[in-house]
Structure formats: structure tokens, C-alpha cells
Amino acid sequence: MSASAAATGSGGQTGKGGKVVAIVQARLGSSRLPLKSLLTLRGLPIIDWVTGRLARARQLDGLIVAVPDTKLDRVLYEHLERHGVPVMAGPEQDVLARFAQAAKQTDAGLVVRVCADNPCIWGEAVDRLVDHYRKGGCDYAYNHIPRGNLWPDGLGAEILSRDLLDELDSRAKLESQREHCLNYLWDNAESYRIATFDPEEPWLRRPDLKLDVDSADDFRRLALLPLAPDMDAAQIIAACDGE
């Protein structure tokens, strides 16, 4: 079932082809949970959960982690380099510029935005997102949060064209629109076709589940669950339900 958050206006770009690249937004300077990306969940840093699980998505042609160019985040940069994960450093506060630089560096045609606080991201959810976007009819689509859909929080991602990302980079002027790289799009939702959709399976329709890590409480909750990096969505949901 498809739902549209906005279906008017003529802004944005609708190209559905090109290289599909996931750009992971990661940093160590979170005020609510410092060093979050390198916190160990079941013996593996959260950033490794994200990149490892994301690499299983069949629709991706590549991925890169975009980190701030700070002394603190150099530690994260070097960790990813040691593990053979593509990584680039860009402006700390101007996240939109950092994303645009990463898309240009990887020659992305379509950009899948992923937050590094989603250790349970599911490759199949990303594949379904890419498929939904390529069907046409939208400039931007998402399934990473239960906003107008029934997805759990933290399994999916967001997608837009490289052309649209570059457009946002040129138009966004407010600090809030630079620091949160897709805020300009949401601030001007009437000008873009924004879409989401529901999971097909009834068991996957769980908007009550929060699987991302924003705070110490979130990390504690996930750390106490019997999770493993190779689990699929059904196994993760069963673990959350204590089955």
C-alpha cells in the first residue's frame, strides 16, 4: 500500500536511473550519546553493524560513510579505513554539503541516505525502497521511520536523486537546513512529491518498534536483546517480542 506525504508541485528531479549509492551519516560528537558509532553492540561496533548489514542490499551499487572532518571523527575515519569501508570527511556542521560531496565523489545517480544510528537496518527494506522509488511518481521516498506508514523505526532508509540533492544544496540557506540535510525538502514539502509505503507482511507492520539508537536508554534496550548482525527482520522482531 502506498501513501504520499505530498503530491503537488513540480519541484525536484525524477530521474530513476544511475548508480545507486548509500551514504551513511556518521559522527562521534553526538551530545546525547557520545562516541555512539563505536559503541560495541554484541561485540561489534554499531558502525560495523550498519555497514555490514547495508552491504547485503542487492539494489546498491556502492556505499560510503560520510564523517565530519574533525580530530575526534578521525578515529572513526581510520576505523572504517582499517576495515576496508569507503569513507570521506566533510564539513562538520554543514551536513548537506558533506552529503553532496560524498554523492559527487562516488558518482551517485541515486542517493540512499542512511543514519549510522540504525544498527538493525535491513538490506531487504532498502531494496524495497529503491524499487518503490524507481516505479516513479515521487521525488523522494522513505521507509526508515513510521511517518505515514507502518514500518518499524530503524529498518529502512531514504532515497532521492543526485540532481535533487544538488538542488537542495544550492537552495538551502537556513542553518537548520544545512545541519539536517533534507530539512529543506520537508520545509517545502508542497513543492516535492514525497512518498512512503507499507510493508507487505502483517508481521512487519510494527510502527511501535524503535530500533535506532538515539540515547543511552536506546542502546541499553538493544544491548539486552539477543540480537546478531546476520539476523533478518523477522528474527529481529521476534527478539524484540521475547520469542
Side-chain angles (χ1 to χ4, degrees), residues 64-104:
I64 189 169
V65 181
V67 306
D69 54 0
T70 68
K71 183 177 180 180
L72 174 63
D73 289 290
R74 185 69 193 177
V75 176
L76 178 57
Y77 187 104
E78 292 174 350
H79 169 85
L80 291 161
E81 271 197 325
R82 286 195 302 272
H83 288 79
V85 178
V87 58
M88 60 82 67
E92 179 182 16
Q93 299 301 328
D94 193 345
V95 180
L96 179 52
R98 194 196 319 162
F99 259 75
Q101 290 173 17
K104 181 177 181 180

Side-chain angles (χ1 to χ4, degrees), residues 7-27:
T8 60
S10 58
Q13 303 292 329
T14 57
K16 306 304 176 187
K19 186 178 178 184
V20 184
V21 177
I23 302 177
V24 182
Q25 179 179 327
R27 63 173 179 150

Side-chain angles (χ1 to χ4, degrees), residues 32-33 36 39-42 46 119 210-227 240:
R32 285 187 291 180
L33 189 59
K36 174 168 54 179
L39 291 180
T40 300
L41 181 63
R42 293 279 166 167
I46 286 177
K210 187 177 188 298
L211 300 170
D212 61 348
V213 180
D214 287 326
S215 66
D217 286 342
D218 293 335
F219 177 75
R220 185 180 303 109
R221 184 181 65 255
L222 290 186
L224 293 176
L225 294 176
L227 299 175
C240 291

